[in-house]
Amino acid sequence: MDLRRALLRAAAARPHVLIIGGLGTDRLRARVEQEVARRGWPVASAPADADVVVVIGRPGPELRAVIDGVWTGVPAPRSQIWITDEDEVSSALDDSVQELADLAAQRAHAPRSGLPAIHTGVFPPEQGHDISEQSGHDEPGEHGHHHHDGGMELPGGLAMADLGEDRDGLALDQLHVPLGPVLPEWPSGLVVDIVLQGDVIQEARSRFLDDVAAVERQPDAARALDSAARVLALSGWEGPAARARGLRDVLLFGGGETVRILEELDDLRRRVRRSRLLRWVLRSAGAGRSEVLEALDDKLLSARAAVAGAGAEAPVATDLPSLDARLVGVEFAAARLIVAVADPLPQPALARPTDQGGAS
Amino acid sequence: MDTLTPALVMLAFGVLLVTGVRILARAVSVAAPLTDVLPHAGGLPPVEHPVSRFHVRWYVVTMVFLAFDMEMIFMYPWTLVVAQKGPAAVVEMFGFLALLMAGVLYAWREGALRWT
Amino acid sequence: MNVALPLGWAVLLPVLLLAVAWAAVAADVVVAGRAAGRPVPWTTAAALPGREALRLLVGQRRRAVAGDELLRGVGGAVLPIAALLAAAVLPLGLRPVADLGVGIVWFNAMEVFAWAAVWLVGWGANSTMSLIGGYRFVAQGLGWELPHMFALITAAIGAQSLRVSDVVAAQQGLWFVVIMPVAFVAFLLSVAAMAFWGPFGAPVGRDLAGGAAAELGGVDRLVVLTGRWLLLVAAAAMAVPLFLGGGHGPWLPAWAWVLVKTLAVLAALVGLRHRIPTIRMERWTEFSLVVLTPATIAQALVVTLVVLGEGGV
C-alpha cells in the first residue's frame, strides 16, 4: 500500500489539466493557462486525458450540465476545482495535487459508470432533461428520443445514425454531433451542432451555452492573440502558439515592456508570413489563397496596432450565422481552423457596426 | 524456419510485455475500469452511436493504392534479378509504373484526391 | 549465410528500443519547451517519460458504452508488438536479431500492422473523434505507403538483395544516401507518418481532442503511446542500415555507429518536428500521390540504371 501511495504521489506531481469556462471567462482562463504553463503541466485534450478539471467563473445551468457530463468521464485519479478569482489560481492548483495524491479518497470516490443519463441519477433530472430537449429542438428529426426510457433498447439509450444523401446523391450514414464546448483550442461556451458524413460537415448550427446579454470582454489585442494562438496550435505549431499566449498574458497581466511585446509580435508575424509550409497546409482545397492564413495575419496585425496604440483596428470576429454558412461542406480539420479563426461573439455584441462584415 | 525463430521469440516476448504491463496496471491502478463511458465530442450527451458507416471520400485513393500494391508484389522479387536480366527487365517494370502513374494523374485531374 | 545474433538478443532488443524511445521523448520535451519559450531543465525532461508512464499505469481504464473492447485492446497491443517485430531485422552493428532473407519485405509488412492497429483503436471506442482519427490514419497510410515502399525497394535495388545485412554490406564503400537522397527523404517522411507523429499527428490531433486515442485512459493509453514511440524509433533506426551505411564507420565499433546514427536521425526528426505544421490529410494525399510517388519512382529508376551501368551483370 505504501508503494502504491508513493507511485500515486509521483504520478500526481505533473497532472494534465482540463479547463472549462463559459462565455466571458477568457481573462480568468488566460490566468489559469498561464499558471499551468508556468508549472510545466500539460493541457489535457479530452476528459480521458485529464487529471484535474478546472471550472472557471460561475457557469450557468447549461454549462453546469456539461461539466457534470465531462466529470463522469474523467478517470481516477482525478480532482475538480472551481476558480472564481485570479488570486485563487495557484493555491487551488496546489490543492488539486494534494487531492490527486490521496490514495484512500481517490479509491473511495473513483467513478464506476460513465453514464450520466437520467437512469443513474448523476444529473439532477430536470437538468439532464433540459439538455436532451435542447438538442432535440436544434436538429429537427427523430433523434430527440435518446435518454428517454421508452426509446429503442440500444446500449446507452442512443439511436443509430440515419441515412442521408451525400453530395453525389448517394444514401449514406449521417451523424448528428454536438461539438463543444469542452474541446482543445475552442472558443469558450460555443457549441456547434453538426451533421457529419464521414469527416465532412454537411450542416452546422452554432450557439452559445447560457447566452447572456452582458459579457465581460477581453481587450481587443488579447482577444486577437488568443484566437491566433488557437489557430497556430491547431496547425501543429505548438511553439509559436505558446509564444502568442505568453504575449497575451503579458498584455493582460503585465510583466513586459511595450517595446519587447512589439518586437516579439513582429517576430511571430514574420514567422507566420514566411512559412511556405504553413501557407500550404492552411490553404483551402478550392481557393488558391488561404483565408485562414490571411485572417491569422490580420489578427496579429490588429494585436500589434492595439498594443502600439495606433488607431482602432476592428477586431476580426464573425457572427454565428455566417460561421454556420462557412462550415458547410468542409472537412473536419478545416472546420476547426475556421471556428478558431472566426472567434465568434455572442449576439449582443453584434449590435456594434464594426462586427457586421464578418471580416475573416 | 531457423531464420524465423528469433522473430517468433520476439513476438512471444512482445505479447508477454504487453500482457505484463496490463497485469501490472491492474495491480497498481487506483480503481477498476470506468464502464459505459459516453463518447466525448465537447461535453454534451451524444445523439447517436458514433459507429456508423463512415463516408470515406477518398475511396478512389484506395483503388489507386491497390493497383500499386499489386505491382509492389512483383517489384520486390524483381529487385533480386534485375541485374541479371538487364535492360529489358528495367523497361518492363518502369513502363508498367509509368502506366500506373498515368492513372494517378488522371484520377488527380478528375478530382479524386480531393476531400470535399 | 545467416548472421543473426544469439537468441538472447530477442529479449534485449525491446529494452534497447525502450531506452532509445525514452531518450527521444525527453529530447522532444526539451525542444518543445525551447520552441514555446519556456525552457524545460534536462533533469525534469529526463524523468518525464517515466513519470508519464507511471501516471498512466496508476490511472483508471475506460470502457466506452457499446464500444468494442476486444478490438480496441488488440489494436493497442498490436502497435508495440509490430514495432518490435519490425526491429527484429534491424542490424545492431552488422548483425540483426533475425536475419531474414526477405528482411526488407518483413519490415514493410510489420509496420503496415499499424494501419489496422490505429483504425481498430479508433473504431473500438464508439466515439466520433476516435472514428475520424482512425480513418485519418488509413488515409495517411494510403499516402505514405507508396513512397515508403519505393524507398525500401530503391535500397534493395542498390544492394540487389532484400536481406538487410546485405544492404549494409553493400554500403561498405559508399552510403546509399549519396546515390538515393530522394528515397532517403521520402523514407524519413514515412517514418514520421507511420508513427502518426509530429507533422503527421493528425490521426491523434488536438483538433480531434486526441483522435484515435481520445477515449483511452490508464494503461490502454500507455500501451498505444508507447507503441507509437517504439514505431518511430524502430523506423528511424531502419534508416541507418538502409541509407546511412549501417554499422560501417571509422574508429568506433559497429554497434556504436548504429546507435550514434540512430540517435542522429531521431534528433533530426525531433528538431524538425517543431518547425513543421501538422499536415492535413486532404493536402497530404494529393502531395504524396502526385509529387512524392513519381519522385521516388524516378529515384528507383536512376539507381537501377546506376546498378546496371556498374555492370552488375
Side-chain angles (χ1 to χ4, degrees), chain A residues 155-186:
Chain A
L158 302 177
M160 295 305 286
D162 275 326
L163 291 175
E165 289 204 342
D166 83 334
R167 55 169 179 186
D168 303 329
L170 299 168
L172 291 158
D173 272 359
Q174 273 181 330
L175 212 51
H176 299 81
V177 185
L179 268 190
V182 186
L183 285 175
E185 327 300 346
W186 185 264

PDB file of all heavy atoms in Angstrom, chain A residues 155-186:
ATOM      1  N   PRO A 155     -27.749   0.065 -26.575  1.00  0.00           N
ATOM      2  CA  PRO A 155     -26.882   0.378 -25.423  1.00  0.00           C
ATOM      3  C   PRO A 155     -26.763   1.871 -25.204  1.00  0.00           C
ATOM      4  O   PRO A 155     -26.622   2.642 -26.159  1.00  0.00           O
ATOM      5  CB  PRO A 155     -25.534  -0.207 -25.845  1.00  0.00           C
ATOM      6  CG  PRO A 155     -25.852  -1.212 -26.890  1.00  0.00           C
ATOM      7  CD  PRO A 155     -27.092  -0.750 -27.566  1.00  0.00           C
ATOM      8  N   GLY A 156     -26.844   2.286 -23.954  1.00  0.00           N
ATOM      9  CA  GLY A 156     -26.702   3.691 -23.624  1.00  0.00           C
ATOM     10  C   GLY A 156     -27.916   4.510 -23.992  1.00  0.00           C
ATOM     11  O   GLY A 156     -27.917   5.720 -23.828  1.00  0.00           O
ATOM     12  N   GLY A 157     -28.968   3.862 -24.518  1.00  0.00           N
ATOM     13  CA  GLY A 157     -30.162   4.589 -24.904  1.00  0.00           C
ATOM     14  C   GLY A 157     -29.968   5.468 -26.118  1.00  0.00           C
ATOM     15  O   GLY A 157     -30.739   6.388 -26.356  1.00  0.00           O
ATOM     16  N   LEU A 158     -28.919   5.208 -26.894  1.00  0.00           N
ATOM     17  CA  LEU A 158     -28.655   6.020 -28.078  1.00  0.00           C
ATOM     18  C   LEU A 158     -29.175   5.333 -29.330  1.00  0.00           C
ATOM     19  O   LEU A 158     -29.189   4.112 -29.411  1.00  0.00           O
ATOM     20  CB  LEU A 158     -27.148   6.245 -28.248  1.00  0.00           C
ATOM     21  CG  LEU A 158     -26.417   6.918 -27.103  1.00  0.00           C
ATOM     22  CD1 LEU A 158     -24.942   6.987 -27.394  1.00  0.00           C
ATOM     23  CD2 LEU A 158     -26.977   8.304 -26.894  1.00  0.00           C
ATOM     24  N   ALA A 159     -29.573   6.145 -30.302  1.00  0.00           N
ATOM     25  CA  ALA A 159     -30.028   5.596 -31.569  1.00  0.00           C
ATOM     26  C   ALA A 159     -28.834   5.369 -32.484  1.00  0.00           C
ATOM     27  O   ALA A 159     -27.721   5.779 -32.196  1.00  0.00           O
ATOM     28  CB  ALA A 159     -31.006   6.561 -32.213  1.00  0.00           C
ATOM     29  N   MET A 160     -29.059   4.682 -33.588  1.00  0.00           N
ATOM     30  CA  MET A 160     -28.019   4.547 -34.599  1.00  0.00           C
ATOM     31  C   MET A 160     -28.175   5.705 -35.587  1.00  0.00           C
ATOM     32  O   MET A 160     -29.226   6.326 -35.694  1.00  0.00           O
ATOM     33  CB  MET A 160     -28.142   3.212 -35.333  1.00  0.00           C
ATOM     34  CG  MET A 160     -27.914   1.998 -34.471  1.00  0.00           C
ATOM     35  SD  MET A 160     -26.348   2.010 -33.590  1.00  0.00           S
ATOM     36  CE  MET A 160     -25.199   1.654 -34.916  1.00  0.00           C
ATOM     37  N   ALA A 161     -27.104   5.943 -36.338  1.00  0.00           N
ATOM     38  CA  ALA A 161     -27.142   7.025 -37.320  1.00  0.00           C
ATOM     39  C   ALA A 161     -28.130   6.704 -38.430  1.00  0.00           C
ATOM     40  O   ALA A 161     -28.341   5.546 -38.775  1.00  0.00           O
ATOM     41  CB  ALA A 161     -25.751   7.241 -37.897  1.00  0.00           C
ATOM     42  N   ASP A 162     -28.745   7.757 -38.975  1.00  0.00           N
ATOM     43  CA  ASP A 162     -29.683   7.568 -40.078  1.00  0.00           C
ATOM     44  C   ASP A 162     -29.026   7.857 -41.410  1.00  0.00           C
ATOM     45  O   ASP A 162     -27.957   8.455 -41.473  1.00  0.00           O
ATOM     46  CB  ASP A 162     -30.875   8.502 -39.884  1.00  0.00           C
ATOM     47  CG  ASP A 162     -31.910   7.867 -38.985  1.00  0.00           C
ATOM     48  OD1 ASP A 162     -32.055   6.633 -39.048  1.00  0.00           O
ATOM     49  OD2 ASP A 162     -32.549   8.604 -38.222  1.00  0.00           O
ATOM     50  N   LEU A 163     -29.729   7.477 -42.464  1.00  0.00           N
ATOM     51  CA  LEU A 163     -29.190   7.724 -43.802  1.00  0.00           C
ATOM     52  C   LEU A 163     -29.486   9.144 -44.240  1.00  0.00           C
ATOM     53  O   LEU A 163     -30.463   9.756 -43.822  1.00  0.00           O
ATOM     54  CB  LEU A 163     -29.823   6.742 -44.796  1.00  0.00           C
ATOM     55  CG  LEU A 163     -29.411   5.294 -44.627  1.00  0.00           C
ATOM     56  CD1 LEU A 163     -30.199   4.417 -45.578  1.00  0.00           C
ATOM     57  CD2 LEU A 163     -27.921   5.131 -44.882  1.00  0.00           C
ATOM     58  N   GLY A 164     -28.615   9.658 -45.079  1.00  0.00           N
ATOM     59  CA  GLY A 164     -28.848  10.954 -45.680  1.00  0.00           C
ATOM     60  C   GLY A 164     -28.108  10.998 -47.007  1.00  0.00           C
ATOM     61  O   GLY A 164     -27.219  10.182 -47.245  1.00  0.00           O
ATOM     62  N   GLU A 165     -28.484  11.935 -47.844  1.00  0.00           N
ATOM     63  CA  GLU A 165     -27.840  11.993 -49.159  1.00  0.00           C
ATOM     64  C   GLU A 165     -26.503  12.712 -49.075  1.00  0.00           C
ATOM     65  O   GLU A 165     -26.363  13.684 -48.350  1.00  0.00           O
ATOM     66  CB  GLU A 165     -28.751  12.715 -50.150  1.00  0.00           C
ATOM     67  CG  GLU A 165     -29.962  11.909 -50.535  1.00  0.00           C
ATOM     68  CD  GLU A 165     -30.505  12.342 -51.885  1.00  0.00           C
ATOM     69  OE1 GLU A 165     -30.165  13.446 -52.326  1.00  0.00           O
ATOM     70  OE2 GLU A 165     -31.257  11.560 -52.483  1.00  0.00           O
ATOM     71  N   ASP A 166     -25.520  12.230 -49.818  1.00  0.00           N
ATOM     72  CA  ASP A 166     -24.247  12.934 -49.869  1.00  0.00           C
ATOM     73  C   ASP A 166     -24.230  13.851 -51.086  1.00  0.00           C
ATOM     74  O   ASP A 166     -25.238  14.008 -51.769  1.00  0.00           O
ATOM     75  CB  ASP A 166     -23.079  11.953 -49.875  1.00  0.00           C
ATOM     76  CG  ASP A 166     -22.786  11.408 -51.251  1.00  0.00           C
ATOM     77  OD1 ASP A 166     -23.724  11.389 -52.062  1.00  0.00           O
ATOM     78  OD2 ASP A 166     -21.646  11.033 -51.519  1.00  0.00           O
ATOM     79  N   ARG A 167     -23.087  14.447 -51.370  1.00  0.00           N
ATOM     80  CA  ARG A 167     -23.016  15.440 -52.460  1.00  0.00           C
ATOM     81  C   ARG A 167     -23.355  14.817 -53.810  1.00  0.00           C
ATOM     82  O   ARG A 167     -23.788  15.492 -54.732  1.00  0.00           O
ATOM     83  CB  ARG A 167     -21.620  16.041 -52.524  1.00  0.00           C
ATOM     84  CG  ARG A 167     -20.566  14.946 -52.664  1.00  0.00           C
ATOM     85  CD  ARG A 167     -19.196  15.416 -52.986  1.00  0.00           C
ATOM     86  NE  ARG A 167     -18.347  14.221 -53.056  1.00  0.00           N
ATOM     87  CZ  ARG A 167     -17.055  14.215 -53.214  1.00  0.00           C
ATOM     88  NH1 ARG A 167     -16.419  15.330 -53.337  1.00  0.00           N
ATOM     89  NH2 ARG A 167     -16.387  13.093 -53.267  1.00  0.00           N
ATOM     90  N   ASP A 168     -23.133  13.483 -53.928  1.00  0.00           N
ATOM     91  CA  ASP A 168     -23.428  12.826 -55.196  1.00  0.00           C
ATOM     92  C   ASP A 168     -24.809  12.191 -55.201  1.00  0.00           C
ATOM     93  O   ASP A 168     -25.146  11.434 -56.119  1.00  0.00           O
ATOM     94  CB  ASP A 168     -22.384  11.744 -55.486  1.00  0.00           C
ATOM     95  CG  ASP A 168     -20.979  12.316 -55.510  1.00  0.00           C
ATOM     96  OD1 ASP A 168     -20.855  13.486 -55.894  1.00  0.00           O
ATOM     97  OD2 ASP A 168     -20.039  11.598 -55.144  1.00  0.00           O
ATOM     98  N   GLY A 169     -25.606  12.427 -54.154  1.00  0.00           N
ATOM     99  CA  GLY A 169     -26.935  11.852 -54.090  1.00  0.00           C
ATOM    100  C   GLY A 169     -26.977  10.410 -53.616  1.00  0.00           C
ATOM    101  O   GLY A 169     -27.993   9.739 -53.731  1.00  0.00           O
ATOM    102  N   LEU A 170     -25.852   9.904 -53.081  1.00  0.00           N
ATOM    103  CA  LEU A 170     -25.846   8.550 -52.537  1.00  0.00           C
ATOM    104  C   LEU A 170     -26.368   8.578 -51.104  1.00  0.00           C
ATOM    105  O   LEU A 170     -26.085   9.526 -50.362  1.00  0.00           O
ATOM    106  CB  LEU A 170     -24.431   7.979 -52.534  1.00  0.00           C
ATOM    107  CG  LEU A 170     -23.753   7.861 -53.891  1.00  0.00           C
ATOM    108  CD1 LEU A 170     -22.274   7.568 -53.716  1.00  0.00           C
ATOM    109  CD2 LEU A 170     -24.407   6.774 -54.715  1.00  0.00           C
ATOM    110  N   ALA A 171     -27.125   7.546 -50.722  1.00  0.00           N
ATOM    111  CA  ALA A 171     -27.644   7.483 -49.359  1.00  0.00           C
ATOM    112  C   ALA A 171     -26.575   6.897 -48.447  1.00  0.00           C
ATOM    113  O   ALA A 171     -26.185   5.743 -48.596  1.00  0.00           O
ATOM    114  CB  ALA A 171     -28.901   6.627 -49.323  1.00  0.00           C
ATOM    115  N   LEU A 172     -26.093   7.715 -47.496  1.00  0.00           N
ATOM    116  CA  LEU A 172     -25.039   7.264 -46.588  1.00  0.00           C
ATOM    117  C   LEU A 172     -25.335   7.742 -45.175  1.00  0.00           C
ATOM    118  O   LEU A 172     -26.152   8.639 -44.978  1.00  0.00           O
ATOM    119  CB  LEU A 172     -23.691   7.814 -47.057  1.00  0.00           C
ATOM    120  CG  LEU A 172     -23.185   7.209 -48.366  1.00  0.00           C
ATOM    121  CD1 LEU A 172     -22.188   8.118 -49.017  1.00  0.00           C
ATOM    122  CD2 LEU A 172     -22.582   5.837 -48.138  1.00  0.00           C
ATOM    123  N   ASP A 173     -24.667   7.124 -44.201  1.00  0.00           N
ATOM    124  CA  ASP A 173     -24.927   7.455 -42.798  1.00  0.00           C
ATOM    125  C   ASP A 173     -24.614   8.913 -42.476  1.00  0.00           C
ATOM    126  O   ASP A 173     -23.584   9.433 -42.883  1.00  0.00           O
ATOM    127  CB  ASP A 173     -24.078   6.566 -41.891  1.00  0.00           C
ATOM    128  CG  ASP A 173     -24.792   5.271 -41.577  1.00  0.00           C
ATOM    129  OD1 ASP A 173     -25.933   5.112 -42.057  1.00  0.00           O
ATOM    130  OD2 ASP A 173     -24.225   4.429 -40.881  1.00  0.00           O
ATOM    131  N   GLN A 174     -25.529   9.520 -41.741  1.00  0.00           N
ATOM    132  CA  GLN A 174     -25.327  10.886 -41.257  1.00  0.00           C
ATOM    133  C   GLN A 174     -25.278  10.863 -39.740  1.00  0.00           C
ATOM    134  O   GLN A 174     -26.146  10.287 -39.106  1.00  0.00           O
ATOM    135  CB  GLN A 174     -26.499  11.771 -41.661  1.00  0.00           C
ATOM    136  CG  GLN A 174     -26.378  12.384 -43.013  1.00  0.00           C
ATOM    137  CD  GLN A 174     -27.568  13.258 -43.305  1.00  0.00           C
ATOM    138  OE1 GLN A 174     -28.666  13.012 -42.818  1.00  0.00           O
ATOM    139  NE2 GLN A 174     -27.348  14.286 -44.095  1.00  0.00           N
ATOM    140  N   LEU A 175     -24.274  11.504 -39.198  1.00  0.00           N
ATOM    141  CA  LEU A 175     -24.097  11.507 -37.760  1.00  0.00           C
ATOM    142  C   LEU A 175     -24.380  12.909 -37.227  1.00  0.00           C
ATOM    143  O   LEU A 175     -23.854  13.885 -37.749  1.00  0.00           O
ATOM    144  CB  LEU A 175     -22.641  11.118 -37.463  1.00  0.00           C
ATOM    145  CG  LEU A 175     -22.321  10.359 -36.196  1.00  0.00           C
ATOM    146  CD1 LEU A 175     -23.199   9.138 -36.034  1.00  0.00           C
ATOM    147  CD2 LEU A 175     -20.864   9.941 -36.222  1.00  0.00           C
ATOM    148  N   HIS A 176     -25.251  12.998 -36.194  1.00  0.00           N
ATOM    149  CA  HIS A 176     -25.527  14.299 -35.579  1.00  0.00           C
ATOM    150  C   HIS A 176     -24.677  14.438 -34.331  1.00  0.00           C
ATOM    151  O   HIS A 176     -24.793  13.634 -33.414  1.00  0.00           O
ATOM    152  CB  HIS A 176     -27.006  14.417 -35.223  1.00  0.00           C
ATOM    153  CG  HIS A 176     -27.897  14.310 -36.429  1.00  0.00           C
ATOM    154  ND1 HIS A 176     -28.238  13.101 -36.980  1.00  0.00           N
ATOM    155  CD2 HIS A 176     -28.470  15.252 -37.197  1.00  0.00           C
ATOM    156  CE1 HIS A 176     -29.021  13.305 -38.033  1.00  0.00           C
ATOM    157  NE2 HIS A 176     -29.164  14.610 -38.198  1.00  0.00           N
ATOM    158  N   VAL A 177     -23.813  15.425 -34.323  1.00  0.00           N
ATOM    159  CA  VAL A 177     -22.869  15.577 -33.217  1.00  0.00           C
ATOM    160  C   VAL A 177     -22.917  17.002 -32.668  1.00  0.00           C
ATOM    161  O   VAL A 177     -22.753  17.956 -33.419  1.00  0.00           O
ATOM    162  CB  VAL A 177     -21.426  15.281 -33.687  1.00  0.00           C
ATOM    163  CG1 VAL A 177     -20.475  15.332 -32.510  1.00  0.00           C
ATOM    164  CG2 VAL A 177     -21.345  13.939 -34.386  1.00  0.00           C
ATOM    165  N   PRO A 178     -23.165  17.145 -31.361  1.00  0.00           N
ATOM    166  CA  PRO A 178     -22.995  18.473 -30.761  1.00  0.00           C
ATOM    167  C   PRO A 178     -21.522  18.680 -30.423  1.00  0.00           C
ATOM    168  O   PRO A 178     -20.983  18.007 -29.562  1.00  0.00           O
ATOM    169  CB  PRO A 178     -23.858  18.402 -29.496  1.00  0.00           C
ATOM    170  CG  PRO A 178     -24.078  16.954 -29.222  1.00  0.00           C
ATOM    171  CD  PRO A 178     -23.612  16.138 -30.391  1.00  0.00           C
ATOM    172  N   LEU A 179     -20.859  19.579 -31.123  1.00  0.00           N
ATOM    173  CA  LEU A 179     -19.427  19.837 -30.907  1.00  0.00           C
ATOM    174  C   LEU A 179     -19.252  20.948 -29.886  1.00  0.00           C
ATOM    175  O   LEU A 179     -19.877  21.986 -29.983  1.00  0.00           O
ATOM    176  CB  LEU A 179     -18.786  20.308 -32.205  1.00  0.00           C
ATOM    177  CG  LEU A 179     -18.145  19.319 -33.157  1.00  0.00           C
ATOM    178  CD1 LEU A 179     -17.398  20.097 -34.205  1.00  0.00           C
ATOM    179  CD2 LEU A 179     -17.241  18.355 -32.445  1.00  0.00           C
ATOM    180  N   GLY A 180     -18.333  20.724 -28.958  1.00  0.00           N
ATOM    181  CA  GLY A 180     -18.053  21.744 -27.970  1.00  0.00           C
ATOM    182  C   GLY A 180     -18.956  21.594 -26.766  1.00  0.00           C
ATOM    183  O   GLY A 180     -19.812  20.714 -26.747  1.00  0.00           O
ATOM    184  N   PRO A 181     -18.797  22.411 -25.731  1.00  0.00           N
ATOM    185  CA  PRO A 181     -17.814  23.496 -25.627  1.00  0.00           C
ATOM    186  C   PRO A 181     -16.467  23.074 -25.042  1.00  0.00           C
ATOM    187  O   PRO A 181     -15.565  23.890 -25.012  1.00  0.00           O
ATOM    188  CB  PRO A 181     -18.502  24.463 -24.665  1.00  0.00           C
ATOM    189  CG  PRO A 181     -19.284  23.562 -23.752  1.00  0.00           C
ATOM    190  CD  PRO A 181     -19.682  22.367 -24.559  1.00  0.00           C
ATOM    191  N   VAL A 182     -16.344  21.793 -24.603  1.00  0.00           N
ATOM    192  CA  VAL A 182     -15.083  21.389 -23.965  1.00  0.00           C
ATOM    193  C   VAL A 182     -14.203  20.694 -24.999  1.00  0.00           C
ATOM    194  O   VAL A 182     -14.193  19.472 -25.113  1.00  0.00           O
ATOM    195  CB  VAL A 182     -15.338  20.462 -22.755  1.00  0.00           C
ATOM    196  CG1 VAL A 182     -14.039  20.179 -22.038  1.00  0.00           C
ATOM    197  CG2 VAL A 182     -16.330  21.104 -21.813  1.00  0.00           C
ATOM    198  N   LEU A 183     -13.518  21.474 -25.793  1.00  0.00           N
ATOM    199  CA  LEU A 183     -12.605  20.930 -26.803  1.00  0.00           C
ATOM    200  C   LEU A 183     -11.323  21.761 -26.760  1.00  0.00           C
ATOM    201  O   LEU A 183     -11.372  22.945 -26.413  1.00  0.00           O
ATOM    202  CB  LEU A 183     -13.225  21.043 -28.203  1.00  0.00           C
ATOM    203  CG  LEU A 183     -14.328  20.067 -28.575  1.00  0.00           C
ATOM    204  CD1 LEU A 183     -14.892  20.426 -29.943  1.00  0.00           C
ATOM    205  CD2 LEU A 183     -13.820  18.634 -28.597  1.00  0.00           C
ATOM    206  N   PRO A 184     -10.197  21.159 -27.134  1.00  0.00           N
ATOM    207  CA  PRO A 184      -8.973  21.955 -27.177  1.00  0.00           C
ATOM    208  C   PRO A 184      -9.083  23.043 -28.241  1.00  0.00           C
ATOM    209  O   PRO A 184      -9.648  22.815 -29.310  1.00  0.00           O
ATOM    210  CB  PRO A 184      -7.895  20.934 -27.588  1.00  0.00           C
ATOM    211  CG  PRO A 184      -8.507  19.599 -27.400  1.00  0.00           C
ATOM    212  CD  PRO A 184      -9.976  19.767 -27.524  1.00  0.00           C
ATOM    213  N   GLU A 185      -8.549  24.199 -27.942  1.00  0.00           N
ATOM    214  CA  GLU A 185      -8.494  25.330 -28.882  1.00  0.00           C
ATOM    215  C   GLU A 185      -9.869  25.685 -29.421  1.00  0.00           C
ATOM    216  O   GLU A 185     -10.075  25.858 -30.610  1.00  0.00           O
ATOM    217  CB  GLU A 185      -7.546  25.025 -30.060  1.00  0.00           C
ATOM    218  CG  GLU A 185      -6.354  24.159 -29.769  1.00  0.00           C
ATOM    219  CD  GLU A 185      -5.421  24.749 -28.726  1.00  0.00           C
ATOM    220  OE1 GLU A 185      -5.564  25.946 -28.420  1.00  0.00           O
ATOM    221  OE2 GLU A 185      -4.586  24.013 -28.195  1.00  0.00           O
ATOM    222  N   TRP A 186     -10.823  25.805 -28.516  1.00  0.00           N
ATOM    223  CA  TRP A 186     -12.214  26.040 -28.906  1.00  0.00           C
ATOM    224  C   TRP A 186     -12.723  27.274 -28.166  1.00  0.00           C
ATOM    225  O   TRP A 186     -12.437  27.435 -26.979  1.00  0.00           O
ATOM    226  CB  TRP A 186     -13.047  24.803 -28.537  1.00  0.00           C
ATOM    227  CG  TRP A 186     -14.464  24.801 -28.968  1.00  0.00           C
ATOM    228  CD1 TRP A 186     -15.525  25.169 -28.189  1.00  0.00           C
ATOM    229  CD2 TRP A 186     -14.993  24.402 -30.229  1.00  0.00           C
ATOM    230  NE1 TRP A 186     -16.688  25.017 -28.898  1.00  0.00           N
ATOM    231  CE2 TRP A 186     -16.395  24.547 -30.151  1.00  0.00           C
ATOM    232  CE3 TRP A 186     -14.447  23.932 -31.413  1.00  0.00           C
ATOM    233  CZ2 TRP A 186     -17.247  24.244 -31.210  1.00  0.00           C
ATOM    234  CZ3 TRP A 186     -15.278  23.633 -32.471  1.00  0.00           C
ATOM    235  CH2 TRP A 186     -16.664  23.791 -32.371  1.00  0.00           C
TER     236      TRP A 186
END
